[in-house]
Amino acid sequence: MRWALIGASRIASSYMIDAIRAQDGAEITAVLSSSAERGAEYAQTHGVAQSYTDLDALLSGAPCDAVYISTTNEKHHAQALACIAAGKHVLCEKPLAMSVSDANEMVTAAEDAGVVFATNHHLRNAGTHLAIREQIQKGAVGDVLSIRVFHAVQLPQDLQGWRIDNPEAGGGVIPDIVVHDADTVRFHLDEDPVSVVAKATASGLGEGVEDSVMSVWTMPSGAMVMTHESFTHAFARTGFEVHGTRGSIVARDVMTQRPVGEITLTDADGPRPIAFDAHNLYVRSLGLYYAATRGQGRPSADGVDGIKSLAVALAVKEAAETGREVVVDYGGR
Amino acid sequence: MRWALIGASRIASSYMIDAIRAQDGAEITAVLSSSAERGAEYAQTHGVAQSYTDLDALLSGAPCDAVYISTTNEKHHAQALACIAAGKHVLCEKPLAMSVSDANEMVTAAEDAGVVFATNHHLRNAGTHLAIREQIQKGAVGDVLSIRVFHAVQLPQDLQGWRIDNPEAGGGVIPDIVVHDADTVRFHLDEDPVSVVAKATASGLGEGVEDSVMSVWTMPSGAMVMTHESFTHAFARTGFEVHGTRGSIVARDVMTQRPVGEITLTDADGPRPIAFDAHNLYVRSLGLYYAATRGQGRPSADGVDGIKSLAVALAVKEAAETGREVVVDYGGR
């Protein structure tokens, strides 16, 4: 499968180029960048044959079957629609778009065109989260009463840019991280948050956007969820906890792109570690994506997953801005 | 000092009787119970000379300088006012009353009468919390960005009673536990929560009252606080975390009446344990109370502390019920 990179991004160079190339018969033929200079340099550095500054030129000129979109968030919608119209499979970065209706339009267009659309939510590919989900599914914690998600980190300097000062590009910790936490909770519980309350603030990094947020969600089962996302927490380890009627799972260092972490299950028999597979998250994700393009199974996070994680993040944003409980609007999905 | 126990309670028999008797010259002369039979049995079991069913009879008949009020919450207000009017020092269980105005009336009456009024918040007497506060004060974490409080436990069967089914008596996890968390956060940060959002539910134990609540608070400094209180979490350890610009303090098993727990400070030099003194929380509290009655210092948590912790809990309750952000009303304190 021949790929074009829509966006000469750090996420592509840090993780996705290698993950794409780890698949049998994969090839990256082109990269799109708004800067010709940056595009050319990026193409050379990463062994990509061609760089473009115009998407239509890329779609008509570069041989490609699939695109990976990792531009700033406000560009995803138009770019995805153009790629879908050109018959390409689309793997799109989160958040899919700036609104649920835009995201819905992208996913509907892909459905109508018969191309495979997926959202790049890495966490449900982690061995840690797969192991946690398996424990939940087999009843190790009984009925789930609550989930706590700790995803307060220090945003690395080289990623700060638009994320900390550009609301129009989708900056702020809510579009950047809450979407991942929403996807992860949905993955574990197989249900979608009903409503949320939240508070957000700027605590040193954010200018015109929030850099920290705490929220509380209600799930259809009655389970409660609390989450904390931040760009300013240098010394807080990440974590994910599932508390149930028969046991608790406490996982540390698991809200990460790397295949690391630790998981402890505690029940009436006391605490014990839970083993997990330490595979590369993105290679697994791409493998499932490849299979889906061959009609086998589905991507780890599909378009509807991307719509729903965006819907939760937008509800958290509205709740934080208004001080009111917000019912999550999934746009009919 | 001669004490009367207003309420033949489990908290008195489990902790307070021993803590009172650990003070020099302390004596417990009487106990009040609404049941003559229970009062007599309690008095005999605990070596208390007299039991009463009528507060006025106790106040006029039993030799006493101070009272410890641990009846159900709706009774505290009238009982405290009567004891203050009789010139007694008052140590009152939390929450002080069912409303901030009632609590304010109690504390104002004590101020006017010149008796020492205190609220039985045990956690600020714990060696763990004293050690955490010392670290914060000396700048070990830099500026505090956020606090996370985990106080979700399994309510022991012998304490379930009114706490899980009687809103008129002040049942529910919010009056029972959120007050402690509010007092503890106030103790650590020396400031009072400004506003809160919250969600509450009944997850198996509560009937007509909530048994679980999650809330997010804003502090005047800009620090954010998230808390989780529950009666239904058998396997979730308690915890208290302080995250700052220069370090994080993570403490486990510290939201408890017992002198236990563990504290880790992580900063640029890595993680290390923080030592703490494992003294009895209630004996320390009573010692400070005794000193205050002799004009030396103040109780660990005074009447105003009790008003403020109640105000935060009532704001959390209103926020959970309305789905709206609630500005905490401290009744002018």
Side-chain angles (χ1 to χ4, degrees), chain A residues 145-146 148 150 195 199 201 218 224 226-228 232-233 235-236 243 246-248 252 267-268 323-325, chain B residues 145-146 148 150 195 199 201 218 224 226-228 232-233 235-236 243 246-248 252 267-268 323-325:
Chain A
L145 297 166
S146 65
R148 300 172 184 157
F150 309 119
S195 65
K199 278 175 170 282
T201 193
T218 305
M224 302 180 76
M226 70 196 309
T227 84
H228 181 196
T232 64
H233 281 58
F235 304 99
H243 300 288
R246 286 211 294 273
S248 287
R252 298 287 172 228
D267 59 15
R324 300 206 181 180
E325 180 179 34
Chain B
L145 298 166
S146 64
R148 301 172 184 157
F150 308 120
S195 65
K199 278 176 170 283
T201 193
T218 306
M224 302 180 76
M226 70 197 307
T227 83
H228 180 196
T232 64
H233 282 57
F235 304 99
H243 300 288
R246 286 210 294 273
S248 287
R252 299 286 172 228
D267 60 14
R324 299 206 182 179
E325 180 179 33

Side-chain angles (χ1 to χ4, degrees), chain A residues 132 136 141 144-148 188-189 240-244 247-251:
Chain A
I132 292 168
I136 297 171
V141 301
V144 174
L145 297 166
S146 65
I147 285 184
R148 300 172 184 157
H188 284 296
L189 296 187
F240 193 89
E241 302 184 4
V242 185
H243 300 288
S248 287
I249 294 168
V250 172

Side-chain angles (χ1 to χ4, degrees), chain B residues 16-156:
Chain B
M16 297 301 289
I17 290 175
D18 287 350
I20 288 171
R21 288 180 172 153
Q23 311 301 320
D24 278 347
E27 183 185 358
I28 301 172
T29 58
V31 59
L32 179 80
S33 174
S34 55
S35 153
E37 190 184 344
R38 175 168 165 80
E41 188 185 320
Y42 194 96
Q44 183 169 18
T45 303
H46 300 291
V48 175
Q50 292 174 280
S51 69
Y52 292 83
T53 57
D54 180 74
L55 179 58
D56 291 335
L58 180 151
L59 290 171
S60 57
C64 88
D65 311 296
V67 298
Y68 167 56
I69 300 178
S70 62
T71 46
T72 50
N73 304 336
E74 86 286 7
K75 295 180 180 160
H76 296 172
H77 174 246
Q79 291 172 334
L81 290 180
C83 295
I84 291 164
K88 314 301 183 191
H89 298 301
V90 173
L91 172 56
C92 188
E93 261 309 318
K94 39 52 62 173
L96 288 187
M98 301 295 282
S99 72
V100 170
S101 62
D102 278 1
N104 214 337
E105 191 182 352
M106 294 153 68
V107 175
T108 303
E111 289 166 349
D112 293 347
V115 299
V116 175
F117 189 103
T119 310
N120 203 27
H121 283 307
H122 57 288
L123 290 169
R124 57 168 76 203
N125 293 286
T128 49
H129 287 284
L130 290 162
I132 293 168
R133 187 173 195 274
E134 186 185 343
Q135 293 296 323
I136 297 171
Q137 296 270 315
K138 73 182 194 194
V141 300
D143 295 332
V144 174
L145 298 166
S146 64
I147 285 185
R148 301 172 184 157
V149 188
F150 308 120
H151 208 152
V153 296
Q154 177 71 45
L155 186 67

